[in-house]
Amino acid sequence: ASTSSSSGNTGNSKQKQRQKQQQQYPVQQYSQQQSRRAAAAAEKRPGMVYTAIAVCVVAILLCVKTLLWPSTASGSSSSSSGQSSGSGDGKNGDKQSEWDERRRKQTFDARGRFVLEDFDAKPPFSDFLPGIAGIYGKPVWSFYVNRGQCMASFGTKSKDYPIMEFNSANKAYQNTAALGFRTFLRITRSGHSVDAEPFSPANTRWEGLPTSSSAAANEFDLLPKRFMYVGTNEMQIRETDLTNKIETNVTYFTLPEEDFGSFVRRTTITNLDLSEPMIVSMLDGLARMEPAGGELDDLLKDMGRTLEGFFGVYQASMKDDIRTMPFYRMSTEATDSSAIKVQQKGHYALSFIEGDDSKLLPIVFDTSSVFGHDTMFLRPVELQRKSVREIIDGPQYGHAKTSSAFAAVDEVSIPPGGSITVASFFGKVGEITDVPVIARRVTAPGFVQYKFTRAIELVNQITQSVETQTGDHLFNGHVQQMFLDNALRGGLPVILGAKDDNNRVLNADEDKRLKVYHLFSRVHGDLERDYNNFIVEPTYFSEGPSNFRDVIQNRRIDVLFAPAIGSSSIIHFLHFIQADSYQPTSVEANVFTIKDQALCDKLATNAVGHADGHRAQREQLSSVLCNGPFRPGQLFLLIDELHIDLIMDRQVFIDAVAAVADTMPWAVFSKGYWADHWTYYLDLIEAYLSIYPETEEAVMYDNEIGYFFSPAHVRPRSEKYVLSEAYEGKGKHVRQLDATVLDPSKEKEREKYFNDVTGWYDPPANWQHDRNGNLFKSTPIEKLFLLATIKFATRDPYGMGIEYEAGKPGWNDAMNGLPGMVGSGLPETYELEILLKYVKSVIKKFHRSIFIPMELSVLVDTINVALNNLEDSGYVDNLTKLSNAVPVELFAYWDAVTTAREIYRDTVKITFTGEKKEFSPSDAVGYLERWIEQIEIGKARANRIGSHGHDDDVENTGIVPTYFAYNVAKWNKTGHENEDHHSLVTPLAMDVLTFPLFLEGPTRLMKTIDDEQEALELYERVINSPLRDSALNMYTISASLKGQSFDMGRMMAFSPGWLENQSVWLHMSYKFYLELIRHGLYAPFFEEMKTGMLPFLDPDVYGRSSMECSSFIASSAFEDPSKRGRGFLARLSGSTAEFLSMWVLMFIGPTPFSFDKETNELSMQLVPALPLSLFESDSIEENPRNENDELTISFKLFTSINVTYHNPDRRDLFGEPPKRYEIGLRDGSKIEIDGPAITSDLALKIRKVVFVDSIDAYF
């Protein structure tokens, strides 16, 4: 598709310039409006003349200030004027103009922060700070909403340890303005005092609604103006109150790189009167602050009043009877147990006015001293009765009640145009004596500003890894935001271990002393995803557990950003394939172990010294290192708790430990086994091979890895097929219930490896052994063959989908009832086809035997015998007329194979025998080819059975189905009952049930298609189907579910257009878009990008920063038009992984490295897919050009190498390599390469990164 330049007509340049100026200076524009309206009000109301004149003067002065310091005064800069970001038709029509105008609405300041004007009058949304404190910092978590002073909740580790109570979004929207941070001011000028509360809901500028005190429009217009600034690691709000001539700025951030965690708030009060000083007294802080005392979240909600009986506020230090160091803790943990836990840990609040002589401010912790008996916190009743000094000097009580934390400022003079900033720190410490130490640190001159700068730099250092410079500024920022959010969900890889000049060019495969460790990951729990229990460990090297599905997808392309990690991600996740083919639910950080006592002693001696006085510390450290698994953060925490003093640099120490330690993946069984977890392995492998194509054989055959050993097992049909009443109570049906359960015999096996010293299981407890007690291991290709075999044996009775037989569905976990309906999924079948073909290709390519567990060989034999019997039966599908009743022959095959699978699982439930059977390459390939044929037969069968919903006509759409379910038409009772006393049955016959269209089906199908034309035809069928939301120009997760059974899951419980019921689920939509660009469908891809992808959505409709993805967008099916197009459940979505995969294909290409086995030569070739519109500027500024007037785009390759594409012909660059390259080396030299590829030693140097500084590619 061609794309025209959209630079616009010259005649419009002045108009665009004026628009830009207006966007640059919103406060200036607002001030001018206020001046005019104030003057008009003064004419009509003589009693207000003085105020009106004062406001005019302040407004004029503020205009001057804005002109001189626009970034300070406005907090924002202009958004880009915008060009089309996709392929166009070369016309400057109305559609293009509308598009440009919509892009101009995006408001971001000079620092790339999203700016929301009148934020508290906009539709509510929630967001969070990333909780990143650096490698050597201790993070806190925090969530905010666009109400009140925004911060809705924060704390340590998880929502069970709040400093400000965690509430779901719906409650946070209601409570934050009252129970969160508040600021109460008493302003005195010329002897006249006035009270004010910045950000009070009473002064919210609700559009079209006059204030309750007066219907006068002018008074409404004089309400304070408010802005919100959403940064990557900070959030700021600003209120300009021209009536009282003050400006209030509040900034929140997480304290970085300290040995204590803290949430930091800076409140700046500015005197806007440039002619007269003002005296300010102030209470600024948190209205409700929770104490430390164990896990509190459930207790606060279930028995909050009783819990207050445990609460108390203590003082770490009191100077001159001034309470400056309150310590909030419970007396004991609130348990009804004979084992009492006395509470030593507590929360602190420290505040001071920033300056050279920072002194701690008094903290008002008694809520009644501020609000009196106003338990709704509507008014500071006591402050209205008293002065701040009287409150400070008065009595305060902090026991048996929930307290506050208000910093008290008593009569501070602020000169004309001057300001003061109150800094407040909130955190948790181990004991009360820690608080004075922290106080001395934080009050050091320049500490707060330096830490704020470092907090911003920390995240910038992460996001600069994908620094992208196109003509579209919003797209550039979005790339970095998506990289950050992808790292928060999947983790950011770092390399630990011995690093020297000899190995700095080696990867983790080439030097086993190098260990890959991931930082900052966590489960995506937040105010809107209140169902997930996130953990942000308050330790160095902070990380938390993540869902398997999330983390494996979000680490999909780690190797494309950090080649030094080698094959570690592949090996890491293949470990988790269990003997039954499933994977654990929760993945945690790798653990380190050292078994050699001499090594531990040596490390301890080097770390603490040889002196006799250090003997106790040496022995303690050696014991910690050798007595069980540990993680870096845990290790440093123990060192701190044991008061071990290191005499070497922390990084040197942990590198020395990692170099000699063994690492082991770690995971935990949690809720069950999802049917799609295994489908993401090939994505890891594909990404790796695009960087290291020559090492495929070594990775697949030369590694030996274990099998994760879970305490749960999947029941056979005889224990999970249950006869029960239908949900409507009109009959009985057979459901598959409680399919996966904890197994006492497996728990007993794990107990053998319990470590009494650490109080937890040693690593061998997580891995399956053979009957002789040895860890049972296989090569990656053997584990993939096992996986493929068992999944092939798990096809449903009609041979179409893969059964959801372990109690959980696939990717769409809102179909949680589908396993109960004896359901299956076609998406997993498509993925199985890909897996079978890959395993076949590897075995065929390298012509090497595989050695599989003897137990698995029995299953293989049974499958093939069952296939022989099916063929001998003479059954052949009549695709013109397929019955919903499963044919007897297919049912017999299914029953035989399923029985064999159940027998296999029973035999390997505890141990393998340890015996293996060799499959020759020809035998293995023969089995795989036969199974692939069966998959194709099943796919054709599925297409004929189809999907059937309220508004999808399968005959016309031609779109493949996604899910099936099976009604057990005949059964026999086994004579046994389940735990709920329902009869267990054996199925004798089944009928297939169908569902409406889902986007996942065609999306996963497209992965199996090699032909571009076939992919285009599938795309055209989808775009013309009910899956297309024509009003939003997006794709919904499903067609209408009207008339479907509630048995299918919570999708049916949700309203249409909301959550997983026919909404726009961005993760699956992005998967669909990814397949478009993968198949070279560039024109459709970039056209879809305009309307279906961030950051190209209208923020006024989207309802939040368009830098950040949401899980879903309410579709046109939702009943409330005002919510259609709005994003919900923000950030940490799988969309980030899909977007980064698209970014790779756009900027790098599908296979940057290739290997010629004949010549033994490595080659590199960049093959971008970039439209002209991304080369052209989206603002009135000049397009990105070089000195030769060429359009250019640049980006970071491997987070380090600057790549610049030169586009002298000003055209789309779709799937073509450059004509020549210019390589800049680190030593300053340059090498020119003619031709489309870089070969030999230079390609290797690029992959090793450290030698190469830049690549210029010319097209």
Side-chain angles (χ1 to χ4, degrees), residues 648-670:
M648 63 168 56
D649 178 79
R650 293 174 300 194
Q651 190 61 47
V652 173
F653 169 70
I654 198 62
D655 282 336
V657 170
V660 300
D662 295 320
T663 61
M664 184 64 68
W666 200 271
V668 176
F669 170 80
S670 179

Side-chain angles (χ1 to χ4, degrees), residues 427-447:
K428 183 177 183 179
V429 290
E431 51 191 34
I432 196 169
T433 55
D434 293 333
V435 180
V437 178
I438 293 174
R440 287 192 292 272
R441 296 265 284 279
V442 301
T443 55
F447 179 88

Side-chain angles (χ1 to χ4, degrees), residues 515-584:
K515 307 298 192 304
V516 179
Y517 194 79
H518 281 77
L519 305 174
F520 311 138
S521 62
R522 77 287 304 269
V523 171
H524 56 310
D526 51 58
L527 302 184
E528 293 183 81
R529 299 182 185 91
D530 42 17
Y531 49 84
N532 269 340
N533 295 317
F534 63 89
I535 293 178
V536 179
E537 289 289 354
T539 64
Y540 296 161
F541 290 86
S542 177
E543 43 65 42
S546 300
N547 292 330
F548 182 96
R549 174 197 291 137
D550 300 343
V551 73
I552 191 173
Q553 290 185 91
N554 287 72
R555 292 185 191 176
R556 172 197 303 164
I557 51 176
D558 276 2
V559 70
L560 285 157
F561 295 108
I565 71 171
S567 63
S568 61
S569 290
I570 296 174
I571 302 304
H572 178 86
F573 284 103
L574 285 178
H575 268 93
F576 295 130
I577 298 177
Q578 300 170 177
D580 61 6
S581 81
Y582 287 106
Q583 295 76 31

Side-chain angles (χ1 to χ4, degrees), residues 1133-1238:
S1133 157
S1135 309
T1136 61
E1138 312 306 331
F1139 178 85
L1140 291 176
S1141 292
M1142 289 185 268
W1143 181 89
V1144 168
L1145 293 175
M1146 289 172 64
F1147 287 84
I1148 300 174
T1151 54
F1153 290 90
S1154 59
F1155 183 71
D1156 189 324
K1157 195 171 182 180
E1158 297 296 325
T1159 63
N1160 200 37
E1161 186 174 73
L1162 182 72
S1163 297
M1164 182 201 175
Q1165 186 178 71
L1166 295 169
V1167 184
L1170 295 168
L1172 176 61
S1173 58
L1174 282 181
F1175 284 90
E1176 297 172 327
S1177 176
D1178 61 356
S1179 71
I1180 63 171
E1181 299 173 358
E1182 289 296 316
N1183 293 328
R1185 306 168 189 263
N1186 63 10
E1187 62 274 10
N1188 297 321
D1189 200 36
E1190 295 173 330
L1191 294 180
T1192 61
I1193 279 178
S1194 63
F1195 67 97
K1196 286 281 185 69
L1197 177 67
F1198 304 149
T1199 74
S1200 179
I1201 300 173
N1202 294 303
V1203 177
T1204 301
Y1205 289 140
H1206 299 259
N1207 186 5
D1209 296 334
R1210 290 179 167 83
R1211 59 187 175 84
D1212 297 330
L1213 301 180
F1214 285 165
E1216 63 175 287
K1219 297 175 182 176
R1220 65 184 181 91
Y1221 299 88
E1222 186 177 275
I1223 315 299
L1225 302 182
R1226 301 280 182 184
D1227 62 7
S1229 62
K1230 292 185 180 295
I1231 301 175
E1232 292 190 3
I1233 303 293
D1234 287 327
I1238 302 167

Side-chain angles (χ1 to χ4, degrees), residues 506-761:
L506 302 180
N507 64 39
D509 294 336
E510 296 164 332
D511 188 340
K512 297 304 180 184
R513 296 176 301 165
L514 300 177
K515 307 298 192 304
V516 179
Y517 194 79
H518 281 77
L519 305 174
F520 311 138
S521 62
R522 77 287 304 269
V523 171
H524 56 310
D526 51 58
L527 302 184
E528 293 183 81
R529 299 182 185 91
D530 42 17
Y531 49 84
N532 269 340
N533 295 317
F534 63 89
I535 293 178
V536 179
E537 289 289 354
T539 64
Y540 296 161
F541 290 86
S542 177
E543 43 65 42
S546 300
N547 292 330
F548 182 96
R549 174 197 291 137
D550 300 343
V551 73
I552 191 173
Q553 290 185 91
N554 287 72
R555 292 185 191 176
R556 172 197 303 164
I557 51 176
D558 276 2
V559 70
L560 285 157
F561 295 108
I565 71 171
S567 63
S568 61
S569 290
I570 296 174
I571 302 304
H572 178 86
F573 284 103
L574 285 178
H575 268 93
F576 295 130
I577 298 177
Q578 300 170 177
D580 61 6
S581 81
Y582 287 106
Q583 295 76 31
T585 312
S586 179
V587 175
E588 300 186 358
N590 285 355
V591 297
F592 293 80
T593 58
I594 305 176
K595 299 176 182 178
D596 188 334
Q597 185 64 53
L599 278 177
C600 293
D601 292 341
K602 181 179 179 181
L603 286 168
T605 300
N606 292 337
V608 302
H610 297 77
D612 291 341
H614 297 163
R615 179 179 177 182
Q617 292 190 23
R618 283 198 303 271
E619 291 177 349
Q620 284 181 314
L621 182 54
S622 179
S623 177
V624 168
L625 292 171
C626 261
N627 279 336
F630 59 87
R631 298 185 177 105
Q634 295 169 334
L635 177 59
F636 282 112
L637 185 62
L638 285 170
I639 287 173
D640 183 55
E641 291 177 348
L642 295 172
H643 303 291
I644 297 172
D645 298 319
L646 300 180
I647 63 172
M648 63 168 56
D649 178 79
R650 293 174 300 194
Q651 190 61 47
V652 173
F653 169 70
I654 198 62
D655 282 336
V657 170
V660 300
D662 295 320
T663 61
M664 184 64 68
W666 200 271
V668 176
F669 170 80
S670 179
K671 303 172 184 176
Y673 295 135
W674 269 262
D676 67 316
H677 281 185
W678 62 274
T679 65
Y680 308 109
Y681 285 115
L682 265 294
D683 293 332
L684 290 173
I685 294 170
E686 178 183 297
Y688 172 79
L689 294 178
S690 73
I691 303 298
Y692 292 101
E694 77 277 21
T695 60
E696 182 177 24
E697 182 178 8
V699 170
M700 286 294 129
Y701 284 95
D702 298 345
N703 292 283
E704 286 210 329
I705 51 182
Y707 291 78
F708 187 79
F709 187 69
S710 168
H713 85 279
V714 180
R715 284 173 160 172
R717 291 166 296 168
S718 61
E719 298 177 14
K720 64 185 178 184
Y721 277 28
V722 176
L723 187 64
S724 62
E725 287 190 3
Y727 79 93
E728 74 276 7
K730 296 181 179 179
K732 289 186 178 293
H733 60 177
V734 174
R735 291 187 295 166
Q736 181 178 237
L737 302 177
D738 301 318
T740 300
V741 294
L742 292 173
D743 189 296
S745 63
K746 301 187 81 171
E747 293 276 19
K748 184 178 179 180
E749 179 70 14
R750 282 169 49 83
E751 289 294 331
K752 295 178 181 178
Y753 306 100
F754 190 82
N755 188 323
D756 292 327
V757 176
T758 62
W760 195 241
Y761 297 96

Side-chain angles (χ1 to χ4, degrees), residues 77 130 151 181 229 266 269 334 362 426 505 525 601 731 778 803 807 927-928 1030 1039 1071-1073 1096 1099 1140 1174:
S77 64
M151 198 52 58
F181 285 101
Y229 306 92
R266 302 174 79 188
I269 307 298
F426 304 86
V505 298
D601 292 341
S778 298
E803 288 187 273
Y927 300 149
L928 294 166
S1030 57
K1071 281 182 179 290
F1072 183 63
Y1073 300 144
F1096 303 103
L1140 291 176
L1174 282 181

